[in-house]
Amino acid sequence: HTGAVPRPILIRPTGSRGYGVFAGEDIPKGSFIVEYVGELLSNDLARKREKNYTHFGLFYLHDVPAGASANPNDTLTIDPTLFGNVGRMFNHCCEPNMTTLEMPAAIEASTVVSTIPRVGFFARVDIAKGSELSIDYCPGRKVSQMRKVERCACGSEKCRGWVW
């Protein structure tokens, strides 16, 4: 089921980074953790919301390819701020233990459903029970490419100093 959490996880305070999501069991490398769900927005609406959300420290938007029926260069945005699941609570880390991957759409009777983009979180490494689950909000970007909006507090040896 879309948005279901198929494994035990814990949500608890992290100190300097608000709340975090922690593994409730050992998670093997390559394992599916959870789907990133929320409202699917056009780029224009997503940029408007992003401006508003930034003032409140909300950084949940995730761009995805628009789907099979759209222009290949178009993107949509998943916004879980009001209608999402635990996926919106994963903190940033410059050396994350998870990655996002596009997931094939479920086979449904309606062809509309098969064109909706879906994104899942998967373990990049073996994750020990009790470890905080984290992703890189700007994978592959160098410090020179960051907008320098939000300071990073991940504590990783490879920390870039900025989330964005």
Side-chain angles (χ1 to χ4, degrees):
H1 295 268
T2 302
V5 181
R7 61 182 66 254
I9 58 167
L10 306 166
I11 299 170
R12 63 178 189 234
T14 62
S16 63
R17 294 175 295 131
Y19 285 87
V21 181
F22 295 81
E25 65 183 10
D26 290 340
I27 303 173
K29 178 181 179 177
S31 295
F32 172 73
I33 296 170
V34 70
E35 183 175 356
Y36 199 65
V37 297
E39 294 178 87
L40 201 55
L41 309 177
S42 68
N43 267 336
D44 291 340
L45 182 54
R47 294 309 113 255
K48 288 177 187 173
R49 286 191 184 182
E50 183 177 41
K51 287 178 184 177
N52 291 330
Y53 292 164
T54 300
H55 294 293
F56 297 103
L58 303 175
F59 303 103
Y60 302 139
L61 302 180
H62 191 295
D63 293 337
V64 292
S69 64
N71 178 327
N73 296 322
D74 288 347
T75 59
L76 294 171
T77 299
I78 298 173
D79 179 1
T81 306
L82 298 176
F83 304 100
N85 63 3
V86 70
R88 72 180 180 195
M89 296 187 73
F90 294 127
N91 283 321
H92 165 82
C93 183
C94 295
E95 198 171 4
N97 55 15
M98 296 189 305
T99 190
T100 55
L101 296 172
E102 290 178 46
M103 299 177 7
I107 298 172
E108 300 281 342
S110 167
T111 56
V112 173
V113 171
S114 67
T115 63
I116 295 173
R118 298 175 67 195
V119 173
F121 292 105
F122 292 83
R124 292 180 66 236
V125 296
D126 289 334
I127 302 171
K129 178 179 179 178
S131 297
E132 184 175 2
L133 302 174
S134 61
I135 61 167
D136 185 343
Y137 290 2
C138 295
R141 288 197 191 154
K142 297 177 182 172
V143 174
S144 62
Q145 298 170 308
M146 303 296 226
R147 294 185 297 175
K148 299 182 180 166
V149 173
E150 179 82 9
R151 281 255 177 224
C152 184
C154 74
S156 162
E157 289 181 17
K158 297 182 179 180
C159 183
R160 296 184 302 255
W162 296 95
V163 174
W164 306 107

